[in-house]
Amino acid sequence: MADEILAHGITREVHRQNAVLRVMAKHPELCFILLSVFVTFLTNYGSSFKSKPLVIPARMPEPLFPAVSSVLDLYLGDLRPLVEMLHQEDLIFVMYYAPWCAKSNTAVSQFLRAAQYLDGQVKFVAVNCWYPEGMCRKQYKFLLYPVFFAYHRDNDGYRYMGIERAEFMVKFLEDLVYPLTLLTSADQVKDFLTEHDTVVVGHFDFNDSPHPPGFKQFYYASMRVVEHDPFQPVKFGVVTDYTLALYCHMKQSSDIVFLRINNSTLKYPLPNNITSTNLVRWIFSTRHQLPVRWLVPLGMKSLMLSQEINKGPAVIMFHRASPLSSASQTVAVFKDLALRYNQCPGDKMAADFSRRWLTRSIYNIIKHAKILNFCKEYKKGRLFHTDTFRCCISTCHNCSHCLRESKLNVCEICQFRSGPQRSSVCSFEKSNVVDNYSVQPPLPSNSCQNSIASYDVSSYTSVCCKWCNKNVSYTEFLTPPFSSTIIPSWGSEGRRPTDRYVIESLENLPRKLCGRLTFQKSQQAYPSAIIPDFASTSLPWEFTGHGCRVNQTLSFFTLDSQNHWMIAKSLGLDVSQAHLSPVVVGFDKENEKQVILQEKFSKKTTASFVLNFTKGFLPRHLRTVSSDRQEACGSTPSLCVTELTTDTFQAAVSQPKDVVILVYAGWCGFCLAVSHTFLHLAHYFHTSPNITFARINGETNDLPWEFSMESYPTIIFFPAYREADSVAFPDNIEPSLPNLIRFVLQHATFTTRLHLAADVCSATCVQENLELCRHTLQALRSKSQRLRTHLSALHSNQTRSKPSHYHAAVMKILRKRVEDIQSEISEVKNLKDFLEKSRGRRLDRKTVEKVLSEKMRRKDLSVGR
Amino acid sequence: MRMTNISVISLKNFRSNIKFICTQEQVTLLCFLARKMTSAPGGSSLFLCFLTTVFVVCCTNAIEHGKIDINHYRNVVKNMFYHAYDGYINHAYPYDELRPLTCDGHDTWGSYSLTLIDALDTLAVMGNHTEFHRVTNLLIDRSASFFDMDINVSVFETNIRVVGGLLSAHLMMRRTGMVVEPGWPCSGPLLHLAETIARKLLPAFDTETGMPFGTVNLRHGVPKGETPVTCTAGVGTFIVEFGSLSRLTGDPVFEKVAMRAIRALWKFRSPIGLLGNHIDVKTGKWTALDSGIGGGVDSYFEYLVKGSFMFNIPELLEMFREYEKQIVSHLKRDDWYMWANMKKGGITLPLFTSLDAYWPGIQSMLGDLDSAMKTIHNFHQVWKQFGSTPEYYNIPKAEVHQGREGYPLRPELIESIVYLYRATQDPYLLKAGVDIVEAIEHIARTSCGYATVKDVRDHRLENRMESFFLAETTKYLYLLFDPENFLHNNGSHGELIHTPNGDCVLEAGGYVYNTEAHPIDLAAVHCCSAQKKQEEETLQNFHDNLNLLELLDIAQDKESRIIGKKLKKKKQASSTDRQERAETGREGNNESEKAPEGKSEERENSVTQPEGPGRSNDRDHQEAASTHLSTEESKNNENTATSPQPDIKLTIVKSQPKTPDKLPPRDAVDLNGADSQTTASSKVTIQINNDVTVENGHQKPSFDLAQQILDLFSSVTTQGKEDEVRQPSVTELYKTLANVSVVYISKPSIMRCPAQPFHSRISVWGEMFADEDIPLE
């Protein structure tokens, strides 16, 4: 009502408002009602006005990389600096990330390491491609982060779909930087093929023109294949010499051939239509099976492994892959074996390759040792300052005006620290020192500054800055800040700034080599172990060509033990020592069989392993979980049942006791539901020393075939001494406690039953059984009487007629029966007497045992036999 | 300084000497090799090989890239929980939820400090017993008036969050070191509290179909004019809590209403066996026909599986298997589960809803690990794209569905990850868990809690922190990174306690999580149940009537015993053989399955028939038939003397403590044994609604007015149907429940999980096997 009045008043002309007031003055109660309505309204719904969903924007992105580092972090998603950079740099490696993404964050340190290692060769850029206001996010849509792309200056972008480890990134980038190899001799061609298994060789005559037809496309394709398979790329070689070209079955310029180690040479079918796309397609369609394939599951949903496993039995080697060192010896041995196994008569190349692998890997070992030695000396020369000259980082402030003037303010920040080494790793990343200087405005040109970070005299920091043109490499002007007699100059005078390659190859070679070594060391990527009988040629005589004779496909794979330990683990293998001795496993899906090489890895042992595996001679490997997670059977829980593993299973079931085992699967809901019943069952029999209970996880512990269950939960009973007579609880009966007790009693040995009888037989039970005994006794006596009568009748019958075999047999049986019944009668009588003696009390186990001990001994003995 | 340097160097030398000794064998070997080489570089080769060996051996050790430091992440999660929990306690308590942007509280699902109740058992899971005790005591102190409020609450949410939370906390009291009363776990203050509030939900179940209303008033029962439309999950998500309640307290009414609602849904499924999203609980007519596994339906399927093994109800598992078959054939595409029309089956919405993510967890409990892993990869993919899962995600467009772009810190994805990680130990899942922790920490953390993500595309935050963040998300994350947690007990140990019901084994790993992640120990539930009583009786009988002659092999005659199956001596290791055997196993089961199949057919027919008053009679008939059937079967079983189970079933019927028949008619005031508040409220309800015409004269004029207004409203909402004006009441419900049977036909043979195929052992790290073997190239 009040509302209506109010509304009415307002809709009238303005001067009528006085009237409203007047009305209100006349009727203060109306006013009151209005007010109260308003107040009620506010109190009821006021909160809903307040609680209009408050929304705040996401926080502003922050740099993911340290401000002073070899990675340019475009954390606001701006792509323009990247585009600009693309005009100047040969190769840029870009990581598109999202700041919230855990994977991006873990990739940061690896990306940074790769950037530090390739500093000066490849530019590293990180772009926040999540920030919704950023240019990147508006242009690209990524379904996951981080995404890596390598952009070539006058070419395309190449996506890196590999492992997010610095050494793999470096390998990828190196393959992109040097995609082509110039081949000058037949020996080189063979070596080239030996090293890479599959190579594409093109003949291009640069004498005719500086740009022979098809060469550019050939070049592009060489990079594209790296993108397709960064781990085992098809390598590209160029032949300029005509005779060598002829040797490789190429007759004219722009001819391209595909050389494969275990197959014939193939010629590119479209010589007049060389495009990179066609080339790549052709290569991957004709590549076929490599002798040994390096499988690299990337942790995304894939069928890679299953496709290989489905083809047939496979031999898999887990070893420590080292992407940065060429030709590991382990792989060479494995490849050699694979090649020999599948070698067919008339295949003469194999022996040649084998020899080349041998020499090559020896060469590698020596080379590696040489470098090691050299670097040690090199380091020694600088040893006295390695302790003091701890850490330096060069950085440039490319502020906006600097960019415009195409000048850079380049600073070298060094942290000096003397005294005992605290850590061997340079902890410059994200240290506050760098942040301090990056925050400060750029220092004036050509100046140095020292500062002490703390009151610790043994450490201080220096910053030296210089303005310079962009196209000058900075090693030139960065003179060491302190007396150059102590710290040898890193740059040197009189260098031709244009001739980068000369500088790199000559002056930086030692540094590069040692840097590579240090890099490998920091990434734990070493050349693999040395195989004892590497050079041996005495394999089992059957081995060579066995695959060709039995016509069975056997595939050979390698997996990296560092990055794919999880696959080894789920096969039940321990690959922690794979860098010393690779782990070899045979996997046969069809026959559900998995075998592992037990001996130390060597050429010979592996060869005989492969042979025995194909022939099915090897015992099945049973996976088991190491008992590192021992279930607490201590004092706290009042009930506990032993957990078995594959290793302890056999011993457990063959002990001279009744054993009840629950086979379960950790994931199965029905197993959860039965576990408390099983514990209760164990508790029910806990006073009986002759029966034990245990559990085993059937999914993580392989068992012999007869005990491998098809479904869970399953309860198996192993009677003492008669392990072979094991039975499973039927699956059509409810596994409730009473049922389980009945089941156990049915199959238990006499002792167990006796103990139980003593334990549970109540006073009622004693009474009942007494009654039962009387009845039984009566029944037995009458039965015995009947039999005797029968027997005597037969006997008299026999005496009358002539004796027949039939009669004799029947009588024999009857006599036996009578005897049996007689003994039964005595036993029942025995029991009856005993029960009578107990006079309605509960039974005492000891007396029961005493009374029935004779029987017990007999029973168990007969069983034992 | 120089001294130290020298000592460092000498130490280094010393180390390398040791390594040299260890690996002499290899050195000699290498040197042998070097001598063999033609191009050996002179005298230095020996030194070189020494170096190489030292280098190769001493500097390399076992490295597992990508291994997750679970201890670190466990602490991160713990801090996450306490940050949010402290935020709630300091800023929001006693409101329902914390508002993490404004740092204050507000009431959402009721006004009973929801977050506190919901987060209670997470405290116990993380081992903070003192805080658990404090909150428990606080709840007990407040319990008298806690739920006596004139507020409308969601039946579904109150059940899963409050009843579930209280039950779980009740069962955890002992292990946190609290003094429990002698009757525990079958009695206790928190159990009583849970029962009280569950009783207040009961009026919602008084509908013709047995499916509950969505809302109930804690004091007055179902509000007038309450819409009869409820989502499917709101109908079928009660059995875990209500079944537990019934067994713990001994009052079968809860289990009965839950089963009745589940059976009703089963009855109303479409001809092709799918369910819609929303249903009219009065008529059983579907109002939203989209059929999927996610939002609106999710926990119904979850509870079918969990209920089946928790309470040993094969009926539920059979229902689930049937639904699952249809879901796979109609909804599953490329390991996604989409939305289809429930009648025709064609895909209508190619959407992933973030609630779908519970499904792989369910599959893992039944052993369908392969399919579960494939699906979880898809779901995790969405997370990787946004750092959270949007409520709806358009699969083909790989984009957020407009209008449903939020992420309220839901737990479903991490829940499935926990289940699957426990099953497979696949480190991929740990990584996915890390993804989730890091993203939530980065995106949603505020000064006093964690905020709902308003839009997953730009991570704007909303001023809300749902209570399930503390109850579920943090709990599951913690469980993922805490493999030693007591909830991960695989059943190898338990606690023996003495209860009035006899000895019970508790905490033996049989924890079933309700859909709000409140673990309930099924052993404790079993301990208080009628089955347990029956088992005790059977055992006592067994002890009394133990046949010593038979037991001790004195006489020859054998009585009823359970004889085990002989294990196969030698197994032919081929998958086909295994399959055949599985099939024969199935056939064997078919005999026992025949009966319910016939029943279900009957039910299908009744769906096609127009809804009529004869329907309930029909159901009664069916129920009678089923009980008849079970008795018959039991007789057979007795003859064959293999299983004493049927006996148990029969006696359950007899031993139900509160027989509904005894209950007085609707208008009587005194409710037998029921809570006095409930009585009062139902009395009021009755007076207002049902007997208004009769007792009009006695009522006050204000009631008159209220009645008029209500009539006006109800005529608008319910198209003026006269019979629908009848307000639901508990008394009416009790009458109806007399016909609901909670006697289940035992089928142990289907209550099993299949073993994993051989090749599944290399299905880790994203490597999958196609459903059918890929043909060779």
Side-chain angles (χ1 to χ4, degrees), chain B residues 370-386:
Chain B
D370 177 55
S371 165
M373 280 305 290
K374 285 176 183 164
T375 304
I376 203 94
H377 272 272
N378 284 3
F379 294 171
H380 182 216
Q381 178 53 50
V382 180
W383 186 280
K384 286 197 275 193
Q385 190 178 348
F386 297 106

Side-chain angles (χ1 to χ4, degrees), chain A residues 548-566:
Chain A
C548 196
R549 286 193 294 275
V550 296
N551 196 21
Q552 178 193 27
T553 45
L554 182 69
S555 327
F556 291 81
F557 306 112
T558 63
L559 279 160
D560 177 19
S561 65
Q562 288 183 94
N563 288 299
H564 297 111
W565 48 272
M566 57 292 273

Side-chain angles (χ1 to χ4, degrees), chain A residues 54 120 137 148 154 174 178 201 205 236 279 287 319 427 464 474 548 580 584 675 684 759:
Chain A
L54 181 78
R137 177 76 187 279
F148 297 93
D154 42 19
E174 279 178 348
Y178 307 110
V201 179
D205 194 351
F236 278 56
L279 256 174
R287 193 185 188 193
H319 72 120
S427 57
C464 287
Y474 14 111
C548 196
L580 295 178
V584 181
S675 61
Y684 187 84
D759 284 349

Side-chain angles (χ1 to χ4, degrees), chain A residues 642 644-645 647-661 692 694 718 723:
Chain A
T642 325
L644 297 180
T645 62
D647 303 329
T648 55
F649 179 79
Q650 201 55 48
V653 299
S654 50
Q655 52 187 319
K657 281 179 173 187
D658 293 331
V659 183
V660 187
I661 292 182
T692 59
F718 296 87
E723 193 193 316

Side-chain angles (χ1 to χ4, degrees), chain A residues 341-377:
Chain A
Y341 180 84
N342 288 316
Q343 186 186 356
C344 287
D347 205 353
K348 291 188 191 76
M349 293 289 276
D352 186 34
F353 284 123
S354 171
R355 193 178 49 77
R356 277 173 192 279
W357 276 325
L358 172 75
T359 45
R360 212 179 156 74
S361 82
I362 291 172
Y363 168 76
N364 277 331
I365 291 169
I366 293 165
K367 189 172 139 197
H368 185 76
K370 266 184 177 170
I371 293 170
L372 255 174
N373 193 29
F374 171 79
C375 288
K376 204 182 174 192
E377 294 297 319

